[in-house]
Amino acid sequence: MCGLLLCLLLLLTVAGCDATPDGAGGSAESADRDRPTATAATQGPWTEAELALLESLTVSALPRAPSPASNRVADDPGAAELGHRLFFEPSLSRDGRVSCATCHLPGLHFTDGRATSWGLGATTRNAPTLIGAAHSPWMYWDGRRDSLWAQALAPLEASVEMGSTRLAVVRRIASEPGLAALYARTFGSLPTPDQLAKWPASAGPYGDRDERAAWQRISAQDRRFIDRAFANTGKAIAAYERLLRPGESRFDRYVKAQRGGASKDVAATLSDEEIRGLRLFIDPGRTLCLRCHNGPLLTNQSFHDIGTELGPGGLPDFGRFLGVQAVLIDPFNCLGAFSDAQPDQCQELRFLDKAHVSGEMGKFKTPTLRGLARTGPYMHDGRFETLTAVMDHYQSPPAGSGAIEITPLAIDGDESRALIAFLGSLDGGTDVPDRWLRPPDGGASAGDR
């Protein structure tokens, strides 16, 4: 239990808002001044078992993301091209100004730099990175969607995000020649002009009162056709997002150099302080971080209570407790009518433990540690601006909750700084061609402006 808590702490620590891109907080001058001298701990050779463990954490060990059975076009290049267009397309929103890229900026590792995101209004959650998201079976901090494509649909209709309706989204795609051509090539027919003419301009189950009423006046057969086209929109966006893999970081190059015996390269990739932090990170007696932050993405893709369920004013955020219930009733889940999967291919959803949902209260998803230097503020609600604040939380966790999974982290200030330094070395950007990081028209992305 203690190890899990410590692991989570490290996760937060690595995400240090006050860490610089090269993993050290503050200026390069102060980093050089404060850098500890090499010790036996940093100079000593890694054992074969340690090297094998380190290699399991590198991006070179990251397999291809599994192809989701619920999305038959997940790896279709044409679907990815359409998804790329849709991801950066603000006209899908109610006011024509908000796109997926508004909250997932390429320049910020596909986050937005805010404590909680802002679309048409204020949300209550921090935007997690999309890098490596295709490897997770659950989306959002509370896991309320079970695929990238189902997740991509929710912001389109959320009133404080893009605020549109599913009919308005489908109408926009059908009315824009470039989008319509890409859609038809991947999915087939869109609504005809005659169909569009008989339908209202905007309608859906989550719009305003008039839009909800208009949705009910559309025939059941037509609603299903619109729902199918709307689901395909999410599947195309997911095909694009599956391309977003983490790039090689200094940590990855360090491990590669260790294996190759290139001592000069080793010295150039990690500082003594970062190596001290790495040794702490994998120490089975001091931190046990790997119980939560393992594998190439440094996350177990699971949910934990780390004492962050109470928000401003003491109001609770139920986390996974409501997430489980939401994913089970989502019409776009793996078992839904618009999934391309057979029921026996939806293992995670079929065997979701509904009987113990009460035990999920206040749990949130363990985020990846990669790119943390660019993904603050931290936690599901962005409550911590700096790594120092994160460390304070883990060293003095809140009392009074019997379900909390952390105990105080017993490390001193120097060790804290070493861990933060190491976590900063995990930023390797993205391993995709630059064209995928910009709008298809060649303009600058929002993250570059």
Side-chain angles (χ1 to χ4, degrees):
M1 180 65 68
C2 176
L4 169 60
L5 316 177
L6 301 180
C7 168
L8 291 169
L9 155 57
L10 296 180
L11 151 62
L12 303 175
T13 307
V14 63
C17 168
D18 57 353
T20 61
D22 68 356
S27 68
E29 180 181 356
S30 63
D32 290 339
R33 183 178 61 248
D34 298 335
R35 188 182 307 247
T37 57
T39 64
T42 59
Q43 290 179 329
W46 296 97
T47 67
E48 182 62 31
E50 288 172 333
L51 282 175
L53 173 59
L54 294 181
E55 287 178 325
S56 76
L57 305 179
T58 63
V59 290
S60 61
L62 184 65
R64 181 181 178 84
S67 296
S70 65
N71 184 2
R72 65 178 178 81
V73 300
D75 298 310
D76 184 308
E81 290 284 356
L82 174 60
H84 183 206
R85 288 279 304 270
L86 296 173
F87 186 88
F88 289 95
E89 184 53 69
S91 69
L92 299 181
S93 67
R94 182 178 291 272
D95 70 352
R97 295 186 298 170
V98 180
S99 71
C100 301
T102 299
C103 296
H104 298 285
L105 306 173
L108 291 178
H109 212 63
F110 285 85
T111 63
D112 63 6
R114 296 176 178 270
T116 54
S117 292
W118 188 280
L120 294 182
T123 74
T124 60
R125 292 284 171 82
N126 177 265
T129 181
L130 296 178
I131 305 300
H135 290 266
S136 178
W138 308 110
M139 303 299 144
Y140 287 109
W141 285 96
D142 56 11
R144 65 183 182 273
R145 294 293 183 271
D146 67 346
S147 69
L148 273 177
W149 70 268
Q151 184 281 322
L153 297 174
L156 292 166
E157 296 188 292
S159 61
V160 296
E161 294 186 66
M162 297 176 73
S164 190
T165 66
R166 59 193 60 182
L167 176 53
V169 168
V170 172
R171 181 183 290 279
R172 169 59 183 161
I173 295 172
S175 302
E176 203 285 308
L179 293 176
L182 286 170
Y183 181 99
R185 183 169 41 181
T186 303
F187 298 109
S189 62
L190 273 162
T192 65
D194 287 344
Q195 285 176 305
L196 293 174
K198 74 176 182 177
W199 293 335
S202 181
Y206 305 116
D208 60 28
R209 183 176 62 181
D210 291 341
E211 289 166 332
R212 294 195 303 271
W215 181 249
Q216 292 305 314
R217 290 194 296 270
I218 298 173
S219 71
Q221 181 178 359
D222 284 351
R223 289 201 304 267
R224 188 175 182 84
F225 184 87
I226 295 166
D227 282 340
R228 173 68 66 183
F230 184 60
N232 289 340
T233 299
K235 291 175 182 179
I237 294 173
Y240 164 66
E241 292 175 341
R242 282 174 57 79
L243 303 178
L244 305 178
R245 291 172 50 94
E248 188 178 65
S249 69
R250 289 188 301 110
F251 161 72
D252 300 303
R253 294 194 296 272
Y254 171 80
V255 176
K256 184 185 297 184
Q258 285 292 313
R259 205 37 122 170
S263 59
K264 290 183 179 179
D265 289 341
V266 171
T269 53
L270 290 189
S271 68
D272 289 343
E273 184 177 42
E274 289 167 337
I275 295 171
R276 289 175 60 226
L278 171 56
R279 289 188 181 276
L280 275 170
F281 185 80
I282 67 169
D283 191 322
R286 297 293 311 282
T287 62
L288 291 178
C289 307
L290 294 176
R291 294 182 69 178
C292 298
H293 299 286
N294 49 58
L297 292 176
L298 296 158
T299 170
N300 62 3
Q301 307 288 4
S302 191
F303 301 84
H304 301 284
D305 180 352
I306 58 170
T308 59
E309 68 272 20
L310 295 182
L315 297 176
D317 186 329
F318 297 105
R320 185 62 171 154
F321 173 77
L322 292 182
V324 168
Q325 299 173 70
V327 73
L328 290 172
I329 64 172
D330 176 26
F332 300 108
N333 68 25
C334 186
L335 292 170
F338 308 102
S339 168
D340 298 317
Q342 296 299 313
D344 62 358
Q345 295 176 300
C346 304
Q347 298 298 321
E348 288 87 356
L349 194 63
R350 289 180 63 206
F351 297 105
L352 197 59
D353 194 349
K354 313 172 192 65
H356 298 98
V357 66
S358 61
E360 302 301 299
M361 189 75 72
K363 291 185 178 181
F364 297 94
K365 187 177 172 183
T366 302
T368 177
L369 297 184
R370 290 193 172 271
L372 284 175
R374 287 187 280 169
T375 59
Y378 309 102
M379 302 294 188
H380 71 278
D381 55 3
R383 65 180 61 194
F384 296 133
E385 288 282 343
T386 67
L387 284 180
T388 299
V390 170
M391 295 300 285
D392 288 345
H393 175 82
Y394 277 93
Q395 290 176 304
S396 300
S401 173
I404 192 171
E405 299 177 45
I406 58 175
T407 55
L409 183 66
I411 58 174
D412 61 29
D414 286 342
E415 290 171 324
S416 249
R417 287 185 286 275
L419 279 169
I420 292 172
F422 160 64
L423 293 171
S425 76
L426 295 170
D427 183 11
T430 55
D431 183 25
V432 295
D434 185 66
R435 80 176 187 92
W436 293 111
L437 305 180
R438 296 180 178 276
D441 61 7
S445 71
D448 296 323
R449 293 196 290 266

